[in-house]
Structure formats: C-alpha cells, structure tokens
Amino acid sequence: MKFKIFLASFLVASLIGCSSNDTPVSTVSIPDEEIDVSISIFDDELEHEFPTTAVLEEEPIEEIDVTLSPNGYPISQTQELIFNLGVDPLTLDPQLNTAIDGGYVLNNTFEGLVREVGGEIIPATAQTWTIANVSEDMMDELGVSSEALVYTFTLRDDVKWSDGVDVVAADFEFAWKRAMNPETGGQYGNLFVSANILNADLIMSGDVSYEELGVTALDDKTLQVVLTSPCEYFLALSIANSFLPVREDIVTSDGSWSKDPALAVSNGPFVLSDYAIGDQLVLTKNEHYWNADNVYLETIICDMIVEASTALTAFNSSNLHMNGTVPTDELPQLIIESEEMYILPNIGTYYIAMNLEEDIFDDVNVRKALSLAIDRELIVEQVTRGGETIATGFVGPGFLDANGDEFMVVAGDYGISYNADVEAAQAALSDAGYPGGEGFPTLEFLYNTNETHQKIAQAIQEMWKQNLGIDVTLTNQEWAVFLESRTIGDYEIARNGWIGDYTDPNTMLEIFLSDHGQNTIRFDDEDYDNAMANARVTRGQERMEYLYEAQDILMEQHAIIPVYHYVYTWQVDNSVEGWEFAANGRPWLGDVVMVDRD
C-alpha cells in the first residue's frame, strides 16, 4: 500500500535569547508546498492530507549577572584608581597644608560641614543647618551688633572617623581654634577673619586668645558659629582645608601624624593606608564613612611622578588613570586628538613674585619695567599651550561681582598689554636709574622642579635680557624646599600661583593683606588693608567696589607680575567614571567608579 502526504504548510519557529530581558520569538513562514512521500503500509492505499509544524526547542542559556554603572557601563571587578599626584605633599595636615597637591588628598580623605558638588553647596558631615539673627541676650553677652548672625549646624547621626570613633562637634571646634592658634604655625588665620567669625580679627592682632573664636560645640551633634556680620560666601568658605575637623587625641604639632598610616584617621570617603616618601601614597575606602555604601573605589594609588614626559608614558601605558602633569609640547596634539584629554576652567592665577623686602624692588618703576617687558601671549601660545587666559590683573575669569559682571572685565588691564611693551618697559627702567639695564644687579629666579616652570622661567629670562638688558640666573628646588624658601622670603624672584578656595574675588585678594600667611611677596599697604577690611563689613555691589579698589592698589603699584590664569589640563582614562573637579582645582573621587568600556 502507498499513502500520499501533503504538507499544506510548514512553519519553523526559532527561539533566540541572549539577555536578561524577554526577547520576542521570531518566526519564519515557508510557502505551501506539496511533497510526495511514498510509504508502503500493508496492502491498502491511503491518501491523507494534514498540516505539519516542526518546532526547534530552545536550549537553556546561562544568565550572566552584570552590574552597570550610573552611566550604563559594566562595573569593573577591580575598583582601583591610579592617580598622579605629581609631587610628595609637604603635609596632609588640614590646618597646615598650603599646597594644591595636599588639597587633592585632603578633599578625599576629610570632609567638612558641607561639600560643593556641581557648583552647589550640599550637606556633608552636617545634615542640616539654620541661620538666625543674633538674640538681644547674645548682643549684650558677646558685644556684637544686630548685624551678627548665628549658624547652627547639626551633624549626621552616623558620622564616624575611619577608626570607628564618632565625629563630634567638638572636633570641628578644636580644629578651627587650632587653625587660629599661633603655635600651630598655620597660615590661614585670615580665612576666619574673612568669614567674619567672632573675634577672629582680634586673635590675628594678638589682642585675645584663639580660644575666644566664635565657634562652640553645644553638644556632640550641634556646632554653633557666630559671625559679627553677614558673609555671603561663608558656607563655600567652610569647605577650605583649615575648616576640616581633626581629632585632638591624634594630631601632632608638626603635622607628622598626617603621613603616618597608623595615626592618620580621617572622616572622608578614603583613608591613608600606606605612604612611601617621594614615591607613592595609598588611600583605601573608609568603611566607616557615612556614605560608604555609595563609594565604589576600594583603592586610590597616588603616584608622585614629577617629570611630565614620564607621566605621559605611564598614562599611555595604562599605568595611570588620571594625570595632570602633561608635557607642554604634547598638549596641542592631545587636545585635538585625544578624547581622554580635558581642559577645564580654574579660578587661579600664575604670577611672578618679587620679594618686596629686597632693596632693588623698592622703586615701582623697576617692578613696572619687569612686568611690561614680558610677552604673555608668547608664553601661553608657545610655552604652556594649554588654553590659558592671559592675565593683566590678579582676579581672573569665573568671578562675578554683585551685578553679575565679570570682575576681570570691569577691572580692566591696568595698562598691561598681551605682548611686551618694550618701549614703556625701557622707559620705566630708565626712570629707575638703569638706562639700558646699565648698573642693574643680576637677579635670581627661583622655581620648583617642573618642566613647565622651567620653560616659563627660561622664556622670561630671555625676555628680560633682550628687552631690558638685565641678567637673570635660574635656580630650581625640589617642591618641599621651594615652598619653605618662598614662605620665609629666601628669594629675590620666584614663580608663584594661587588658586582660590571659593568663587569670590576675596579669595584671591586677601592673600596680599599685610598679616596674611600667604603674603610671600611681603606686600604691606595700609590703603589696601583698609579696602579689604571695608569689604568684610559691607554687602552687595558696595562690597565689590572695595574689592575693585584693593586690586587697583595692588596692580597700580605693580606689586606682582601676573602672567596667566590657570586652566586644568588633565588626562583621564575612559575607564574612570564619575570624577569631578571643583572650581578650586581639587578632584572629588568619592563618586568614581571604574568601568569596562571595551
């Protein structure tokens, strides 16, 4: 017997699945087709017609659990960041640090009452705060006017030091008073004066004890700060190093505790776990940090690579994830070609400091000649090459006055051109009694060991020789030695730079107060001090006018030689997500996560 089978339709279903999401089944329809199949079955001949469907069974697929970063990339199993610190910080003591490199570390190992993220002030160690007018009882007790304000901060319930000890309000009180204690040797007492904190000015003048500073721990969770008059930038200012808390039972007078992993307790997202002089320091995640559950990084290795070419090689070899020490010669090409090269705004100024206690700088015409003889455009376009802004004053881009205008634009250029004004420079030097440079002494130009600083010094040395006929010798020192030389005034001319702690012109101009610890040029001008003092007790545009007046005095006397306003030039590997640089130049790594982008 034969029987004939007709396939009326043939449908193949293919099940495809490769992710954790439900994937729709895709089907393929084959047109109707007659297929003759002769099969011998007994002796009867049967004819039967029916549809037949063939189904391919799906084989089980192993599910892979992949955790994604906030930006949607797979999170790397190794949460380790290698960061080039550039130099070995002189100290990591919050009340003693004066350098940006130390600030890089402190911004990630310590945390103040508040933090600035994305340009906004947000709660940090303090959960909440209130601002109130001073009471009549307080006015009588403290001798303040009705203009006084009281800030009351309430700390979080779960804030602890890296050794598990509770952070208490008394830690802040101790730290702030320690910063004002003359025996500490800190250089930022003026920050507390600028904040208008009760008695800060009298402490600086030596009239009252540092213990009388207007900060009080009311209990373990409550810190009270009294300002004698409103300070528009007080919360932003409180982020500065000097306002960070420290433990009275831990600190040492020389700051050595801060580099000793056995002693260096901190309250930020990371803690110092290893330190090798001149080579490397290692930060590890602080498991006691109040927000530790949202900190991804387990380790930050901070290398201390000074040579820019060496640092670039390390970055290109994936031995660095973040590097801010980039060869100037390579910058233009990197800016154009590399998606891992970033140029970021900064609130700081690179300038040449003249030690005003040296007799040669007594005559303003000497200072004017040295400034006008510099071709600033040539320096930024052919030496630094990182997109810097030419500086003709000290306050640079990013600072607005109360009217919303750029402070730098309103202030003007003070007669300083982008290129060297050789004729005016020579005339000024002649007026000082050194026509054509005749009889002018050889000057020593001091800079810290760094390729860019060296090239800038060499360029200025050549400009002064060609344009003024004067000789300059160049001397470089390692970072720690250089800082000490500049601080104690053991120099004639030195490179210098200042990056503001907050986005208000005051942060730039206050360092030239006669009693400021960072007044390394030894500028001493009563009118300048008075203008700055008036700025502290006024508000709005009236306050800004006093700040304009102060800069006018500084620049019309040519007390400094501004060269350019900083930008950040940083290489950041694509595997680093969530990094941020604050306006003051300090990186925040608490939100960084290492991702796989291949």
Side-chain angles (χ1 to χ4, degrees):
M1 288 175 28
K2 296 180 181 179
F3 94 102
K4 188 179 291 183
I5 301 176
F6 292 92
L7 295 172
S9 65
F10 183 55
L11 184 65
V12 178
S14 175
L15 303 178
I16 302 173
C18 60
S19 73
S20 59
N21 296 325
D22 294 332
T23 306
V25 175
S26 62
T27 62
V28 179
S29 179
I30 299 177
D32 292 349
E33 179 179 5
E34 180 179 295
I35 303 176
D36 288 335
V37 180
S38 295
I39 304 177
S40 179
I41 304 179
F42 305 111
D43 293 327
D44 300 326
E45 183 175 347
L46 302 174
E47 189 174 82
H48 185 67
E49 182 176 322
F50 59 89
T52 302
T53 301
V55 179
L56 301 179
E57 293 186 1
E58 178 187 16
E59 294 184 2
I61 297 176
E62 181 182 356
E63 292 188 2
I64 301 175
D65 185 15
V66 177
T67 304
L68 301 181
S69 71
N71 287 346
Y73 293 99
I75 293 178
S76 175
Q77 291 184 347
T78 303
Q79 288 299 308
E80 179 180 273
L81 173 72
I82 309 175
F83 182 98
N84 185 24
L85 197 55
V87 297
D88 189 343
L90 183 62
T91 182
L92 297 176
D93 186 317
Q95 279 75 51
L96 296 181
N97 178 68
T98 63
I100 187 66
D101 46 84
Y104 288 167
V105 178
L106 291 171
N107 198 46
N108 292 282
T109 52
F110 286 83
E111 187 169 74
L113 295 166
V114 298
R115 177 173 289 283
E116 183 176 356
V117 176
E120 295 185 5
I121 300 297
I122 64 171
T125 301
Q127 178 77 61
T128 60
W129 58 89
T130 60
I131 308 171
N133 294 322
V134 68
S135 66
E136 291 188 9
D137 289 342
M138 273 190 143
M139 280 189 271
D140 294 338
E141 178 185 353
L142 301 176
V144 295
S145 71
S146 59
E147 285 285 299
L149 294 177
V150 179
Y151 282 72
T152 304
F153 297 90
T154 301
L155 305 191
R156 297 176 184 274
D157 290 334
D158 53 351
V159 288
K160 295 182 180 294
W161 292 98
S162 52
D163 60 358
V165 175
D166 288 343
V167 176
V168 294
D171 296 329
F172 282 92
E173 179 182 352
F174 169 74
W176 294 18
K177 290 180 176 178
R178 177 177 183 251
M180 294 295 293
N181 184 353
E183 294 182 3
T184 301
Q187 299 179 33
Y188 289 101
N190 281 94
L191 285 177
F192 297 86
V193 177
S194 297
N196 295 331
I197 297 179
L198 177 66
N199 291 329
D201 54 345
L202 298 177
I203 296 169
M204 287 294 294
S205 63
D207 293 328
V208 301
S209 167
Y210 69 93
E211 293 285 0
E212 299 301 314
L213 185 69
V215 53
T216 306
L218 300 181
D219 55 44
D220 282 352
K221 293 298 179 183
T222 311
L223 186 74
Q224 177 184 276
V225 183
V226 179
L227 308 188
T228 54
S229 59
C231 176
E232 297 172 352
Y233 48 84
F234 172 66
L235 288 175
L237 178 56
S238 72
I239 300 170
N241 293 337
S242 294
F243 292 81
L244 296 173
V246 293
R247 286 248 299 275
E248 187 173 4
D249 63 318
I250 293 292
V251 300
T252 56
S253 59
D254 61 356
S256 59
W257 68 276
S258 66
K259 285 188 173 183
D260 183 349
L263 296 176
V265 297
S266 55
N267 72 319
F270 304 99
V271 60
L272 180 69
S273 59
D274 192 25
Y275 170 67
I277 298 176
D279 179 35
Q280 188 181 88
L281 63 84
V282 179
L283 309 178
T284 53
K285 181 177 177 178
N286 175 11
E287 299 296 343
H288 292 288
Y289 179 53
W290 67 268
N291 199 28
D293 289 345
N294 293 313
V295 176
Y296 292 92
L297 285 179
E298 296 293 337
T299 307
I300 302 174
I301 297 175
C302 296
D303 286 339
M304 303 170 187
I305 305 175
V306 177
E307 295 296 328
S309 56
T310 305
L312 177 62
T313 299
F315 183 86
N316 290 337
S317 303
S318 298
N319 292 320
L320 282 177
H321 295 120
M322 296 184 71
N323 173 45
T325 307
V326 185
T328 55
D329 293 341
E330 303 286 344
L331 273 175
Q333 185 174 357
L334 287 170
I335 292 171
I336 294 172
E337 298 180 357
S338 175
E339 64 177 8
E340 298 177 320
M341 185 77 237
Y342 295 87
I343 306 297
L344 307 170
N346 199 344
I347 53 168
T349 301
Y350 190 106
Y351 66 104
I352 307 303
M354 297 166 286
N355 187 343
L356 301 182
E357 290 184 340
E358 296 286 329
D359 292 343
I360 188 62
F361 299 122
D362 284 345
D363 192 329
V364 65
N365 286 302
V366 168
R367 307 193 297 267
K368 180 179 180 180
L370 294 175
S371 182
L372 297 182
I374 293 176
D375 190 327
R376 292 162 173 81
E377 188 173 64
L378 185 149
I379 289 174
V380 301
E381 291 187 356
Q382 298 186 31
V383 180
T384 58
R385 309 175 74 182
E388 296 85 0
T389 302
I390 294 172
T392 58
F394 196 61
V395 178
F399 295 96
L400 304 181
D401 64 18
N403 292 330
D405 297 323
E406 277 276 358
F407 191 98
M408 178 181 73
V409 175
V410 175
D413 60 17
Y414 298 101
I416 298 174
S417 60
Y418 283 13
N419 305 110
D421 188 342
V422 178
E423 183 177 347
Q426 291 178 346
L429 193 62
S430 181
D431 289 342
Y434 306 101
E438 182 179 349
F440 197 87
T442 299
L443 297 176
E444 181 184 41
F445 191 127
L446 184 67
Y447 65 95
N448 57 294
T449 303
N450 175 282
E451 292 175 28
T452 301
H453 298 326
Q454 181 183 29
K455 290 179 179 180
I456 293 173
Q458 290 172 339
I460 292 176
Q461 177 190 43
E462 183 64 20
M463 292 171 189
W464 284 342
K465 178 64 175 177
Q466 289 187 359
N467 297 336
L468 297 176
I470 65 177
D471 294 318
V472 176
T473 61
L474 305 182
T475 302
N476 72 293
Q477 294 177 341
E478 293 304 311
W479 180 236
V481 178
F482 171 76
L483 279 181
E484 179 68 13
S485 297
R486 204 173 59 185
T487 299
I488 65 175
D490 186 16
Y491 74 94
E492 291 179 322
I493 295 176
R495 69 142 293 266
N496 209 331
W498 184 253
I499 296 174
D501 291 301
Y502 47 96
T503 51
D504 186 278
N506 187 82
T507 191
M508 301 298 294
L509 297 172
E510 70 176 356
I511 69 169
F512 299 112
L513 288 165
S514 57
D515 59 353
H516 198 283
Q518 285 298 305
N519 184 4
T520 58
I521 66 172
R522 276 48 178 179
F523 184 61
D524 189 355
D525 187 279
E526 184 178 356
D527 291 337
Y528 186 90
D529 288 351
N530 287 338
M532 294 298 293
N534 289 331
R536 286 199 297 271
V537 296
T538 51
R539 282 174 282 180
Q541 192 60 22
E542 181 184 3
R543 172 176 165 271
M544 284 293 167
E545 293 302 327
Y546 284 118
L547 294 176
Y548 280 122
E549 179 185 342
Q551 178 166 268
D552 289 347
I553 294 169
L554 182 75
M555 295 308 304
E556 287 167 2
Q557 293 193 29
H558 295 277
I560 59 168
I561 302 175
V563 181
Y564 60 80
H565 301 298
Y566 284 113
V567 292
Y568 303 130
T569 53
W570 275 89
Q571 293 177 293
V572 183
D573 191 89
N574 283 334
S575 63
V576 185
E577 179 185 307
W579 58 275
E580 180 180 0
F581 276 82
N584 63 9
R586 296 181 177 92
W588 168 244
L589 306 176
D591 293 321
V592 164
V593 54
M594 306 301 293
V595 300
D596 295 324
R597 298 187 64 175
D598 296 334

